[in-house]
Amino acid sequence: KLFFFFFCVPHFVALCVCMSGLTHTQRVLRLYRNALIHSRSWAIDRPLWREEALSIRARFDAHKHDNPIRAAHVLEQGEAEFEARKHPDPYRPCTALDGSKWERNVPPPPEVCEMTKAEQEWYNDKRLWS
């Protein structure tokens, strides 16, 4: 069935859509976004990161008008390069999930906040003092 599908479709890109579930454009956008996000892990200084972001954009723009077969091949190479160059310990904002401040000041559970009878009486007495 797949063999028949390949000969009926004029472009190889349609076969990639059938196999992966994502269109070529979606895969390129995800690769570009992930490349920008992970490049922040290598250069945290904003001006250095901006230069890296511009070079990544230039690499994507260089293949903007390739034919579909060449574009699919370049995309596969780009995804492989991205996997090879990913940072082993990516930067996460401190308050983001798994960041250094994530759940640092967790509110206590409600059962801990409830006062005992003696504490309630003491608290009520203190309020009357003022």
Side-chain angles (χ1 to χ4, degrees):
K1 222 173 187 181
L2 189 59
F3 184 76
F4 177 74
F5 178 76
F6 181 76
F7 284 107
C8 292
V9 176
H11 297 293
F12 179 71
V13 174
L15 179 64
C16 292
V17 170
C18 175
M19 299 293 286
S20 70
L22 296 173
T23 64
H24 177 78
T25 305
Q26 288 172 330
R27 288 176 61 197
V28 169
L29 289 175
R30 286 183 182 191
L31 178 62
Y32 179 67
R33 182 173 183 269
N34 287 332
L36 287 178
I37 289 170
H38 282 275
S39 68
R40 284 194 339 215
S41 297
W42 293 106
I44 295 178
D45 187 38
R46 181 74 179 188
L48 292 175
W49 175 79
R50 182 67 180 147
E51 290 175 14
E52 180 66 23
L54 290 174
S55 69
I56 290 171
R57 179 60 190 234
R59 289 181 67 187
F60 274 83
D61 285 343
H63 299 286
K64 188 188 297 187
H65 300 293
D66 285 353
N67 64 30
I69 295 172
R70 170 88 174 119
H73 180 67
V74 169
L75 178 60
E76 288 176 8
Q77 287 178 341
E79 288 171 343
E81 181 183 343
F82 172 72
E83 288 299 322
R85 295 186 62 195
K86 260 201 310 195
H87 198 279
D89 186 23
Y91 172 76
R92 290 180 184 88
C94 59
T95 55
L97 182 65
D98 289 338
S100 61
K101 288 186 177 180
W102 178 253
E103 294 187 344
R104 182 177 286 177
N105 297 320
V106 179
E111 60 270 7
V112 175
C113 295
E114 294 176 6
M115 288 194 249
T116 64
K117 183 80 170 158
E119 290 172 336
Q120 189 69 34
E121 290 174 6
W122 175 83
Y123 178 75
N124 289 336
D125 286 345
K126 291 290 183 186
R127 279 196 8 219
L128 295 176
W129 288 0
S130 54

